[in-house]
Amino acid sequence: MNYPYIPHTDEDIRAMLEFIGVSSVEELFSSIPVSARSSLNLPKSKDEFSVFKRLKEISEMNAPLEDYAVFLGAGVYKRYVPTVVYDLAMKPDFLTAYTPYQAEVSQGTLQALFEYQTMVCELTGMEVANASMYDGATALAEAALMSFRLTGKEKVVVARSVHPEYRAVLRTYLEKRGFTVVEAGYDETGRVLLEEVDEETAAIAIQYPNFFGIIEDLDYVRSRSGNALLIVVVEPVSLALLEPPGSYGADIVVGEGQSLGLPMWFGGYSLGIFATKEKYVRQMPGRLIGQTVDQDGSVTYTMILQTREQHIRRARATSNICSNHAHAALIAAVYMSVMGPDGLKEVARRSYSAAHYLQERLEDMGFKLCFSGEFFSEFVFNVPEDYPERWKRMMEKRILGPLPLKGFYPELGDTALACATEVTSKEDIEKLLEAMK
């Protein structure tokens, strides 16, 4: 089998297959379901203008997100991003090389990342933040690994009310390496029940607000954590209203930063937030940007404490894949600067108000809340058995309705997770209510 872009000969391929103990390339990929494998089936080459014409036709099959009433949340949110954010963040000056290793020619990017770190610390109430990570899920997994390094223990208790996909990534990171992951349940309020914490527990991981939208009681969690470290997964916009986790003694704060100026796109790219206490900084994965002065006494910025295997001995590296989403962090820094504290509070207030208005209207129609705890901008409510089919039909009406939860939480039965943000209008809500009848 010849692959024009792979330089290996047939003899090379046979030698590699023999070394790893399989007889063919097909056998190598046999663990991947056939349904998940696909062939590109690319057509024959055409001239450039014909290709552009066809690509434009394909792109026009997508309806603009602005045409949809969006009630999907679950970690990715439709928010308004002021035009100035992209006018600044997309300047060619910032769209440069992947990594600003040469500080003397990267001062603008380094300063933007330094400001991003500073604003993350202000939002979370923590002492130090890194220059970003891949996304919220991998940030949580790296936080668990960091807790093992700090404590010498190998068990983490994670609330079942943490995003189910985050928990899946956590298990992927940890279980094959011999670490233990234990899940803690939740009560009728939707908040975590901590009964699995013992002396062997390195850390407790909870979400605030949690996946159900419920605002966790961090005082309760901290009081039940014993000697275990406290990892808190956050939605950053909510912290403009809620008391920051640092105020409750959180040891590591992670989260998904998509809310801070990044569009929903088609599921990516996103931004991993990671903050901790200063005393733990040498075990923090990722890059850290520092401020200093140059030989002339002028303020300057540089990368410090680079704890990757590229910079230090592999055995001492905190992670070998903890690069950062520098441009996404830059967008977040511009967004937070443009919005300011008052602007972020207004976004959070409007999100809270819109969600509670939506909940009241649904309740008037007979849809009951699943949990009694206070929620921020998302909530779980009971739906009819045929809701998943209705949900799919809503998309034809350009409504991205509340997310069916039976596949994630079978114990909740027929339920859905609804979300509203500052851009959710009364017209959008009426459109959803009509579709829910």
Side-chain angles (χ1 to χ4, degrees):
M1 188 180 295
N2 292 317
Y3 299 95
Y5 299 107
I6 298 177
H8 305 126
T9 65
D10 289 342
E11 289 74 18
D12 292 335
I13 293 172
R14 276 195 295 271
M16 286 187 285
L17 292 173
E18 182 180 348
F19 182 81
I20 60 178
V22 295
S23 59
S24 66
V25 174
E26 288 69 27
E27 184 184 347
L28 179 63
F29 293 102
S30 62
S31 60
I32 301 174
V34 176
S35 60
R37 304 182 215 172
S38 64
S39 174
L40 292 177
N41 293 322
L42 292 175
K44 292 183 179 179
S45 61
K46 294 184 178 181
D47 52 75
E48 185 174 327
F49 64 82
S50 297
V51 173
F52 274 115
K53 181 175 182 292
R54 179 59 184 143
L55 289 175
K56 188 172 186 297
E57 290 170 356
I58 294 173
S59 71
E60 288 172 350
M61 295 169 66
N62 294 315
L65 186 62
E66 290 71 24
D67 293 351
Y68 281 80
V70 179
F71 298 92
L72 278 176
V76 177
Y77 303 94
K78 182 181 179 182
R79 297 199 180 279
Y80 178 72
V81 182
T83 305
V84 67
V85 172
Y86 286 99
D87 284 349
L88 291 174
M90 295 298 179
K91 286 173 66 67
D93 315 59
F94 291 125
L95 300 175
T96 55
Y98 170 66
T99 301
Y101 283 120
Q102 293 177 287
E104 64 274 16
V105 293
S106 305
Q107 286 299 292
T109 296
L110 289 167
Q111 181 176 357
L113 293 174
F114 178 83
E115 301 296 348
Y116 161 81
Q117 293 171 178
T118 303
M119 288 183 275
V120 166
C121 288
E122 290 176 349
L123 267 181
T124 60
M126 302 304 287
E127 295 169 345
V128 61
N130 71 14
S132 77
M133 303 195 75
Y134 288 135
D135 56 23
T138 52
L140 171 59
E142 293 288 354
L145 291 173
M146 177 175 161
S147 75
F148 300 152
R149 294 192 297 272
L150 287 168
T151 64
K153 301 173 184 178
E154 298 184 348
K155 172 183 170 182
V156 61
V157 174
V158 58
R160 187 160 167 74
S161 51
V162 168
H163 197 303
E165 292 173 351
Y166 287 28
R167 288 185 282 118
V169 171
L170 185 69
R171 290 186 179 278
T172 299
Y173 263 64
L174 302 185
E175 289 187 339
K176 295 300 181 183
R177 299 172 65 173
F179 298 114
T180 302
V181 180
V182 176
E183 291 192 353
Y186 48 85
D187 60 19
E188 68 281 355
T189 70
R191 296 189 178 99
V192 65
L193 277 174
L194 286 176
E195 298 174 354
E196 293 82 1
V197 181
D198 56 30
E199 290 302 315
E200 300 305 312
T201 302
I204 299 165
I206 61 126
Q207 190 168 345
Y208 172 77
N210 64 30
F211 183 73
F212 307 136
I214 302 297
I215 301 168
E216 290 282 5
D217 183 349
L218 294 189
D219 268 333
Y220 161 78
V221 176
R222 181 79 273 182
S223 69
R224 298 298 298 270
S225 63
N227 294 324
L229 300 179
L230 176 57
I231 301 170
V232 182
V233 182
V234 297
E235 193 290 301
V237 168
S238 71
L239 298 182
L241 286 185
L242 303 179
E243 192 73 20
S247 299
Y248 296 94
D251 295 287
I252 307 172
V253 176
V254 297
E256 172 55 61
Q258 178 270 331
S259 283
L260 301 175
L262 297 173
M264 297 178 80
W265 299 115
F266 289 96
Y269 66 126
S270 55
L271 169 65
I273 290 172
F274 199 109
T276 188
K277 295 179 177 179
E278 186 176 359
K279 65 181 179 180
Y280 301 144
V281 70
R282 291 189 178 275
Q283 291 299 328
M284 180 177 68
R287 298 190 180 104
L288 187 65
I289 310 303
Q291 176 181 291
T292 182
V293 293
D294 62 17
Q295 62 183 8
D296 298 323
S298 301
V299 172
T300 189
Y301 302 89
T302 186
M303 288 198 288
I304 58 174
L305 291 177
Q306 300 167 67
T307 54
R308 300 196 306 163
E309 83 293 342
Q310 287 176 281
H311 309 109
I312 62 176
R313 291 195 299 274
R314 184 179 294 273
R316 296 185 59 210
T318 58
S319 172
N320 64 353
I321 62 165
C322 59
S323 183
N324 63 319
H325 274 179
H327 192 252
L330 185 144
I331 292 172
V334 176
Y335 174 83
M336 287 187 281
S337 298
V338 168
M339 301 301 289
D342 292 339
L344 281 178
K345 285 180 182 176
E346 184 64 18
V347 169
R349 286 195 193 99
R350 291 191 183 196
S351 299
Y352 177 92
S353 298
H356 284 73
Y357 175 74
L358 172 61
Q359 178 263 318
E360 290 167 5
R361 293 301 310 277
L362 284 169
E363 199 155 40
D364 290 342
M365 290 179 61
F367 296 100
K368 300 299 181 184
L369 276 177
C370 188
F371 299 112
S372 61
E374 182 59 62
F375 62 90
F376 174 60
S377 68
E378 293 172 276
F379 58 90
V380 179
F381 66 106
N382 295 302
V383 293
E385 188 177 353
D386 67 343
Y387 177 73
E389 287 72 36
R390 293 192 195 190
W391 182 62
K392 293 174 184 175
R393 291 198 298 270
M394 285 182 198
M395 296 182 195
E396 299 170 5
K397 300 177 182 179
R398 301 203 171 182
I399 302 171
L400 297 182
L403 178 69
L405 289 184
K406 203 166 190 178
F408 296 109
Y409 294 92
E411 70 272 19
L412 293 180
D414 297 306
T415 54
L417 178 68
C419 174
T421 69
E422 79 280 9
V423 299
T424 306
S425 66
K426 288 189 175 181
E427 291 77 14
D428 289 338
I429 291 174
E430 293 305 319
K431 195 175 177 182
L432 173 67
L433 297 176
E434 183 63 31
M436 293 287 290
K437 285 183 181 177

